[in-house]
Amino acid sequence: MAKNKVTMRDIADACDVSVATVSYVLNHSEKEKISHETRLKIVKTAADMHYDPCILSQKPAKHKSNLIGIIINLKESGNTAGKKMLYYDLAAELSSRIRALGFEALLMPTKDLDKDVDVISRHSLDAVFIIDVDGNTAQKITRDYYVPVIFLDCEVNDPLFCKIYPDYPAIFQKAKEILNTDEPFLMMEDIVNQDLRREIISRFPTKDIFVNSPGIDIRPFLESHCQRKGIILGDLLGLQAECLFESRNLLIVSYLDNTRTMMESSVIYVRNRNKAVAAVEALRNMLNLDYTPKEGNRILQEYELW
């Protein structure tokens, strides 16, 4: 005998809530204020019971807007050309895959996400990708908005949402092996999300860390480390360092495609293209409840060597 399809009534009975409450949660509605704990319980129960909403097979009219937002968080300071290039490239990769999923992408760069975050409700977005956000703003978003949100290049601990960023410990370990040193220096673009920033720099002494900012000359730092080997996060920063430093003593972590011919140093690729593929697949799973919410929900990216 065929197995009966799980209904919202089944989920409501299992969670001891009304069918309406289950509907609000599974349809990402903000019409009623439902506690975070209840939402998590319903989503987890729906996943455990293999509830199939078939959202992606429905007509666009079933969605609120058929729009998915891409928010690039650029604070007033720290926005170097290299950082902007990386974030806009990631947004472009996301945009093309969002359209392939049958949605339209709404790109929104902002220097004050706290003020601009209401774009989610103002445009009735079906989901949102947010690139680099501080922890306090992330908490506000996860508390006040219930559409699927995928945080990229952020450390955000909330089991109802998804975070995606590279596996930096694994990357640094491989970089040390390639450079044949246990004590490399680090150069990187600035990051708004302080939790991820701390996770990255905690593996290096303060004197061996350079965080790029507009107008800062990288030469003094490189000159003070001329007898050392170093890891550089970011394509443009890496190219700048190659002009001033022995390339065989550098390893560049590249996020872009087609940079191999531009760089003479060793390269580890953590491509934005691959990150976007994983992010959109995470969105697909969230829309269809084909995932298990849990603490530390994260998709870590594999890297490619050159």
Side-chain angles (χ1 to χ4, degrees):
M1 184 172 66
K3 188 176 180 179
N4 292 333
K5 184 176 181 180
V6 175
T7 66
M8 287 190 184
R9 168 60 67 185
D10 298 325
I11 299 169
D13 291 343
C15 295
D16 194 25
V17 297
S18 69
V19 175
T21 299
V22 173
S23 178
Y24 282 129
V25 172
L26 298 187
N27 288 303
H28 310 291
S29 172
E30 299 171 19
K31 293 180 180 178
E32 287 190 359
K33 293 298 180 182
I34 300 169
S35 73
H36 204 72
E37 293 73 17
T38 299
R39 287 181 181 272
L40 178 59
K41 182 179 181 181
I42 291 171
V43 171
K44 186 178 186 306
T45 300
D48 290 344
M49 296 177 71
H50 305 290
Y51 173 70
D52 180 13
C54 298
I55 287 178
L56 293 177
S57 64
Q58 297 174 357
K59 296 179 180 179
K62 293 291 183 179
H63 297 289
K64 291 185 292 182
S65 65
N66 211 44
L67 280 174
I68 293 179
I70 304 173
I71 298 177
I72 303 177
N73 187 31
L74 297 169
K75 63 179 183 180
E76 288 289 348
S77 60
N79 295 322
T80 62
K83 179 178 177 179
K84 290 179 180 178
M85 178 176 66
L86 295 177
Y87 284 180
Y88 277 102
D89 178 75
L90 177 54
E93 295 286 357
L94 288 168
S95 181
S96 64
R97 285 159 182 80
I98 287 170
R99 290 193 297 271
L101 202 61
F103 294 84
E104 293 297 325
L106 177 65
L107 176 62
M108 180 183 171
T110 176
K111 293 183 178 180
D112 192 342
L113 185 54
D114 277 330
K115 292 182 179 178
D116 294 334
V117 72
D118 66 344
V119 68
I120 298 173
S121 55
R122 189 166 67 246
H123 291 277
S124 300
L125 299 177
D126 292 323
V128 185
F129 294 100
I130 300 180
I131 302 173
D132 193 10
V133 61
D134 67 87
N136 291 334
T137 304
Q139 287 182 1
K140 177 181 178 181
I141 293 168
T142 57
R143 183 182 67 246
D144 296 341
Y145 299 96
Y146 297 103
V147 299
V149 179
I150 294 93
F151 294 96
L152 294 107
D153 296 326
C154 309
E155 172 54 48
V156 178
N157 283 308
D158 192 297
L160 273 178
F161 301 90
C162 184
K163 59 187 178 187
I164 299 175
Y165 59 78
D167 186 351
Y168 285 107
I171 290 171
F172 292 150
Q173 182 58 42
K174 178 55 66 174
K176 290 178 180 180
E177 294 174 7
I178 294 172
L179 291 171
N180 193 27
T181 180
D182 291 327
E183 297 181 343
F185 62 82
L186 174 70
M187 300 181 71
M188 61 182 286
E189 301 290 356
D190 198 7
I191 296 175
V192 173
N193 186 270
Q194 292 299 303
D195 290 331
L196 180 57
R197 191 178 193 270
R198 281 191 293 269
E199 180 172 328
I200 292 172
I201 67 175
S202 65
R203 292 167 173 80
F204 301 84
T206 302
K207 64 181 178 62
D208 291 337
I209 300 170
F210 176 88
V211 179
N212 199 22
S213 295
I216 292 184
D217 190 349
I218 69 174
R219 285 176 293 186
F221 179 84
L222 290 173
E223 289 170 359
S224 68
H225 290 75
C226 62
Q227 303 301 317
R228 303 277 299 281
K229 297 180 179 180
I231 301 169
I232 303 180
L233 304 182
D235 298 71
L236 188 55
L237 185 59
L239 289 170
Q240 292 171 333
E242 278 191 331
C243 297
L244 303 167
F245 205 82
E246 182 64 52
S247 61
R248 63 186 174 88
N249 290 332
L250 294 176
L251 182 140
I252 299 171
V253 177
S254 172
Y255 302 94
L256 306 178
D257 286 326
N258 303 319
T259 56
R260 176 174 58 85
T261 57
M262 300 169 59
M263 295 178 177
E264 299 178 1
S265 307
S266 299
V267 179
I268 290 179
Y269 284 101
V270 188
R271 289 185 170 90
N272 280 337
R273 167 168 47 87
N274 295 339
K275 192 185 300 182
V277 169
V280 173
E281 182 60 26
L283 172 62
R284 180 195 295 272
N285 293 340
M286 292 177 80
L287 288 173
N288 283 327
L289 299 178
D290 186 20
Y291 78 110
T292 302
K294 59 183 179 181
E295 188 72 21
N297 184 16
R298 181 189 307 176
I299 300 175
L300 299 178
Q301 300 301 293
E302 295 181 355
Y303 53 79
E304 303 168 42
L305 304 179
W306 183 263

